[in-house]
């Protein structure tokens, strides 16, 4: 049986670290050569890292990247190595890959390529054909598209000659491109990817690639990068499927991995008229024995999401060179989960919790925070803000009374407490060379239930910023874990390991509150979180309109007037809070459509999503939630 021995190099490439990425690639080449691999696949844009964003506009970076690809190529011997790199179109090898496909009237000079290296030199390059601009992607901003028909590659393996085709990331999502390669004579298709994580992404990748393989009758090998880059996390999970679409190898998720698999190739067919095949010659004259390829088990969804958050948080802090964080511990669920993630990412010595009780803080604000800190093994200190708050309230209250006759909106004084806390954390971080970790969740962010320059202060990524407060099941059946669900899961993991669960039970069971006014609870200003989160998920992820959202509440037994009023109020808050979300730290992406790069809305905007129609005479509740250290005004 003829097989192609493929090594999937699931590498932790870093944006802009061309020297480091090259060294990592060369090491992978040596390992692939050692197991007599015919082909080594590295991730998309291995040399520069992905996404390199507007670094790709800098000629010096492109020069360095192309030089680095040549350097890595010199390390190759028998193994054909595919190296992801940006490439000037004018420097591409002659042939179909040079064909220009404009994306708009502005000319591009770059291609996103898989450079083909063999026997110490670059032998060819395959340009990415489909350039995504949805979600977090901006490929067409910098690259021009490659032709749909480019070179195929032929190698002589110890089991016989094999012709393979190359695709880059988005290309494999178009089954027609895989079919064309098969009709052109490809017996295997290999794919370089930089595919960022969201809940359910691995299942979606495997289902898409399996369908393409079955449809074309050709096996596909798919490699993905791994590690955090700003708000994105690349989760690995590289895999290979046979021509029936069955997974025959799978790398571990969220870890660097190198997997080698012998892929049974599709039968040879006469190549199509328009396909050129570049003969690369022999790979290896022999093959060493291999163990059975690994089939790493998929993670359970809570494990998957939690690991993504830890990975993204750790990699950002370490890659910017500031692997220490300080955060406020309020005794509440959000700060408790954020602190636990930070400890799992960086270790207890790198995390400092600060309790900042104010005039309306409960006793549990400090005792629950201290219990959490003791279990996590982190430093915890208390810095009271009451005296500072009362002094500012007196000075500013007098100023406002002189001008207006009263002291203004009461929420301003709630926000003052939050801003004193933010200032405290930023000062400690400045003095100690640490990052500030903010702890707000997606539910609060959606409706503006936070204070700018207060509890939103942060210089580290927000580990909870893409988590709803509660766990919600999406329309396709995918479970999206929330803050409470992840906190309980983390406690259960500790309990199963014979350890003390880090998050106190009282923290999980107490009513959510900003504690910025007497007896305050989140439910005073917002719908109960299970209701709010269902509405937000359907609106943000499924683009449900106001009337559809109201219908879902009515189906649950709500009065039509109350349902319409609730939906209109929630959507008005989402619309009015865009300016606030634009000014907060980045969030580690775990959802399909997160705030930030995924969802780009204008700030000055006269369109309203609040269009549910109540019955005549219904009171319209469309005002902004007060900005109570969390709430809706700035």
């Amino acid at each position: 049986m003829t097989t192609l021995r493929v090594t999937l190099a699931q590498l932790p490439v870093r944006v802009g670290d061309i020297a480091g990425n090259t060294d990592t690639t060369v090491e992978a080449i040596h390992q692939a050569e050692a197991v007599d691999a015919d082909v080594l696949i590295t991730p998309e844009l291995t040399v520069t890292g992905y996404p390199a964003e507007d670094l790709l506009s800098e000629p010096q970076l492109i020069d360095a990247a192309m030089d680095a690809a040549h350097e890595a190529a010199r390390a190759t011997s028998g193994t054909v190595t595919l190296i992801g790199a940006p490439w000037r179109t004018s420097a591409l090898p002659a042939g179909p890959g040079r064909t220009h496909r404009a994306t708009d009237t502005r000319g591009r000079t770059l291609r996103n390529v898989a450079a083909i290296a063999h026997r110490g030199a670059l032998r060819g390059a395959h340009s990415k054909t489909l350039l995504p601009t949805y979600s977090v992607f901006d490929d067409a901003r910098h690259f021009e598209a490659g032709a749909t028909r480019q070179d195929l590659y032929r190698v002589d393996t110890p089991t016989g000659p094999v012709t393979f085709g190359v695709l880059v990331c988005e290309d494999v999502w178009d089954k027609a491109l895989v079919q064309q390669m098969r009709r052109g004579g490809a017996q295997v298709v290999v794919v370089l990817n930089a595919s960022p994580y969201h809940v359910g992404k691995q299942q979606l990748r495997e289902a898409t690639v399996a369908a393409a393989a079955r449809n074309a009758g050709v096996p596909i090998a798919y490699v993905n990068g791994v590690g955090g880059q700003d708000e994105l996390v690349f989760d690995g999970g590289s895999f290979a499927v046979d021509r029936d679409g069955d997974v025959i190898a799978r790398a571990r998720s969220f870890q660097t991995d190198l997997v080698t698999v012998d892929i049974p190739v599709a039968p040879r067919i006469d190549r199509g008229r328009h396909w050129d095949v570049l003969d690369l010659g022999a790979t290896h004259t022999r093959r060493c024995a291999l163990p059975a390829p690994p089939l790493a088990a998929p993670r359970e969804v809570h494990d998957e999401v939690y690991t993504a958050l830890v990975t993204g948080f750790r990699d950002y802090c370490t890659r910017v060179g500031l692997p220490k964080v300080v955060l406020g511990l309020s005794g509440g669920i959000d700060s408790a989960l954020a602190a636990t993630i930070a400890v799992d990412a960086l270790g207890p010595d790198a995390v400092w919790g600060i309790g900042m009780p104010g005039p309306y803080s409960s006793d549990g604000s400090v005792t629950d925070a201290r219990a959490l800190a003791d279990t996590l093994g982190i430093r915890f200190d208390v810095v009271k803000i009451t005296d500072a708050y009362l002094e500012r309230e007196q000075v500013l209250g007098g100023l406002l009374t002189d001008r207006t006759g009263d002291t203004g909106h009461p929420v301003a004084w709630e926000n003052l407490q939050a801003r004193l806390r933010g200032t405290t954390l930023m000062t400690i971080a400045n003095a100690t060379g640490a990052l500030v970790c903010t702890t707000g969740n997606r539910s609060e962010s959606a409706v503006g239930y936070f204070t700018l320059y207060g509890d939103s202060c942060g210089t580290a990524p927000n580990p909870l910023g893409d988590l709803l407060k509660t766990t919600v099941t999406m329309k396709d059946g995918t479970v999206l874990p929330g803050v409470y669900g992840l906190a309980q899961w983390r406690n259960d993991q500790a309990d199963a390991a014979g350890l003390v669960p880090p998050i106190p039970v009282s923290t999980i069971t107490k009513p959510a509150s900003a504690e910025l006014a007497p007896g305050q609870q989140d439910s005073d200003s917002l719908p109960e979180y299970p209701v709010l989160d269902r509405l937000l998920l359907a609106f943000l992820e499924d683009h449900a309109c106001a009337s559809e959202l109201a219908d879902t509440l009515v189906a649950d037994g709500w009065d039509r007037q109350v349902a319409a009023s609730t939906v209109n109020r929630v959507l008005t808050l989402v619309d009015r809070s865009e300016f606030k979300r634009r000014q907060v730290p980045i969030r580690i992406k775990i959802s399909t459509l997160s705030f930030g790069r995924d969802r780009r809305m204008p700030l000055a905007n006269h369109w309203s999503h609040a269009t549910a129609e109540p019955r005549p005479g219904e009171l319209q509740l469309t005002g902004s939630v007060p900005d109570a250290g969390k709430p809706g005004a700035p």
Side-chain angles (χ1 to χ4, degrees):
M1 179 174 60
T2 303
T3 60
L4 187 72
R5 179 166 290 190
V6 175
T7 295
L8 309 173
Q10 186 169 287
L11 304 179
V13 295
R14 295 158 38 124
V15 168
D17 184 9
I18 291 177
N21 295 338
T22 304
D23 289 344
T24 300
T25 302
V26 169
E27 177 59 29
I29 291 170
H30 293 327
Q31 293 183 56
E33 297 279 4
V35 293
D36 303 321
D38 300 310
V39 176
L40 167 68
I41 320 170
T42 67
E44 178 181 11
L45 291 177
T46 316
V47 174
T48 59
Y50 186 93
E53 303 190 58
D54 283 358
L55 285 175
L56 295 168
S57 298
E58 300 185 11
Q60 295 88 346
L61 178 121
I62 303 303
D63 291 340
M66 292 171 63
D67 288 345
H70 282 288
E71 179 184 343
R74 287 192 285 273
T76 62
S77 181
T79 299
V80 175
T81 299
L82 279 59
I83 305 167
W87 216 267
R88 289 195 177 88
T89 305
S90 60
L92 287 170
R98 287 285 296 274
T99 305
H100 173 71
R101 292 185 65 223
T103 53
D104 54 35
T105 56
R106 175 180 173 269
R108 308 292 196 276
T109 61
L110 292 180
R111 298 287 184 90
N112 180 343
V113 309
I116 316 297
H118 191 218
R119 301 289 179 191
L122 290 180
R123 302 288 303 279
H126 179 96
S127 300
K128 187 175 183 178
T129 299
L130 302 178
L131 303 176
T133 56
Y134 60 87
S135 184
V136 301
F137 305 107
D138 269 323
D139 285 34
R141 180 178 176 87
H142 299 287
F143 298 113
E144 66 180 15
T148 54
R149 287 185 175 90
Q150 300 178 47
D151 288 345
L152 300 179
Y153 300 90
R154 180 184 179 278
V155 290
D156 291 321
T157 79
T159 62
V162 177
T163 299
F164 67 91
V166 180
L167 294 174
V168 180
C169 205
E170 187 76 10
D171 297 345
V172 79
W173 293 76
D174 184 346
K175 288 189 289 188
L177 291 179
V178 179
Q179 281 183 320
Q180 288 176 8
M181 283 192 163
R182 176 58 180 150
R183 287 196 294 265
Q187 297 171 271
V188 179
V189 173
V190 299
V191 193
L192 292 74
N193 297 270
S195 180
Y197 170 79
H198 64 69
V199 171
K201 187 65 171 289
Q202 182 69 12
Q203 294 90 328
L204 179 60
R205 289 187 198 111
E206 290 189 13
T208 300
V209 172
R214 283 192 300 270
N215 189 54
V218 65
I220 301 174
Y222 179 109
V223 71
N224 189 25
V226 66
Q229 174 57 39
D230 296 344
E231 63 266 69
L232 303 181
V233 179
F234 297 91
D235 55 318
S238 304
F239 62 95
V241 298
D242 63 20
R243 56 188 303 211
D244 295 322
D246 295 327
V247 177
I248 58 175
R250 182 188 296 117
R252 295 172 295 178
S253 59
F254 301 102
Q255 298 180 56
T256 300
D257 210 353
L258 217 70
V259 170
T260 302
V261 55
D262 289 331
I263 301 176
V265 305
R268 295 183 63 184
I269 59 176
D270 292 334
R271 64 184 178 86
R273 287 185 305 158
H274 303 292
W275 289 89
D276 293 327
V277 178
L278 179 62
D279 192 343
L280 298 173
T283 55
H284 299 276
T285 58
R286 62 173 184 85
R287 275 192 184 163
C288 62
L290 279 183
L295 268 173
R299 294 175 184 260
E300 184 273 333
V301 67
H302 291 81
D303 183 10
E304 180 183 282
V305 170
Y306 192 86
T307 305
L309 296 175
V310 169
T311 300
F313 193 83
R314 179 196 64 228
D315 286 359
Y316 182 90
C317 295
T318 55
R319 289 180 180 188
V320 301
L322 294 169
K324 298 190 298 182
V325 296
V326 58
L327 77 166
L329 293 184
S330 67
I333 187 70
D334 294 322
S335 62
L337 181 59
T340 305
I341 291 170
V343 168
D344 287 344
L346 303 173
D349 292 342
V351 181
W352 187 359
I354 306 293
M356 294 169 284
Y360 307 110
S361 297
S362 64
D363 291 340
S365 171
V366 173
T367 57
D368 287 345
R370 191 180 301 280
L372 171 84
D374 288 345
T375 304
L376 291 175
I378 66 174
R379 178 175 176 178
F380 177 69
D381 293 279
V382 174
V383 179
K384 297 180 180 180
I385 65 163
T386 299
D387 290 346
Y389 167 71
L390 293 175
E391 186 272 337
R392 287 293 87 189
E393 182 186 44
Q394 181 179 15
V395 171
L396 296 176
L399 178 67
L400 290 167
T401 301
D402 290 344
R403 290 176 175 269
T404 66
D406 61 39
T407 59
H409 200 295
V411 166
W413 307 105
E414 296 182 24
N415 289 336
L416 175 58
Q417 298 166 62
R419 289 179 176 131
L420 288 169
R421 292 180 174 125
T423 299
T424 299
L425 293 175
M426 291 299 293
T427 302
I428 292 172
N430 275 170
T432 60
L435 297 172
V436 174
C437 173
T438 187
T439 63
N441 59 66
R442 187 185 188 189
S443 304
E444 296 169 344
S445 181
V447 294
Y449 195 64
F450 62 91
T451 300
L452 282 177
Y453 324 119
D455 58 332
S456 66
C457 279
T459 51
N462 183 351
L464 312 187
D466 203 23
L467 290 178
L468 295 169
K469 195 82 165 186
T470 62
T471 297
V472 181
T473 300
M474 300 174 69
K475 207 159 58 170
D476 65 359
T478 301
V479 173
L480 192 63
V483 171
Y484 283 108
L486 275 188
Q488 187 60 58
W489 175 86
R490 180 60 179 81
N491 274 4
D492 291 345
Q493 294 300 111
D495 190 56
L499 303 172
V500 177
I503 301 174
V505 172
S506 55
T507 292
I508 296 176
T509 58
K510 72 174 66 172
S513 172
E515 295 192 338
L516 298 171
Q520 184 181 56
Q521 293 187 14
D522 290 5
S523 57
D524 299 335
S525 301
L526 301 171
E528 296 288 347
Y529 280 115
V531 173
L532 176 65
D533 289 347
R534 283 180 51 211
L535 295 176
L536 291 175
L537 187 71
F539 174 63
L540 297 171
E541 301 268 347
D542 298 327
H543 304 288
C545 68
S547 60
E548 292 170 332
L549 295 175
D551 288 344
T552 65
L553 296 182
V554 172
D556 286 343
W558 284 53
D559 175 78
R560 170 68 65 177
Q561 291 182 339
V562 176
S565 177
T566 299
V567 167
N568 282 342
R569 181 162 178 262
V570 168
L571 298 190
T572 296
L573 292 174
V574 174
D575 287 344
R576 291 184 178 181
S577 301
E578 187 63 36
F579 79 100
K580 298 181 71 175
R581 289 189 292 271
R582 192 74 68 89
Q583 299 180 67
V584 301
I586 61 173
R587 314 154 182 87
I588 299 173
K589 173 181 166 66
I590 60 96
S591 71
T592 306
L593 193 65
S594 62
F595 289 125
R597 291 167 62 126
D598 270 337
R599 187 178 188 269
R600 309 176 195 182
M601 290 289 173
L603 298 182
N605 176 17
H606 293 276
W607 175 258
S608 173
H609 290 99
T611 56
E613 294 185 4
R615 292 172 179 171
E618 178 193 352
L619 177 63
Q620 294 290 314
L621 300 177
T622 57
S624 176
V625 166
D627 191 18
K630 293 192 170 247

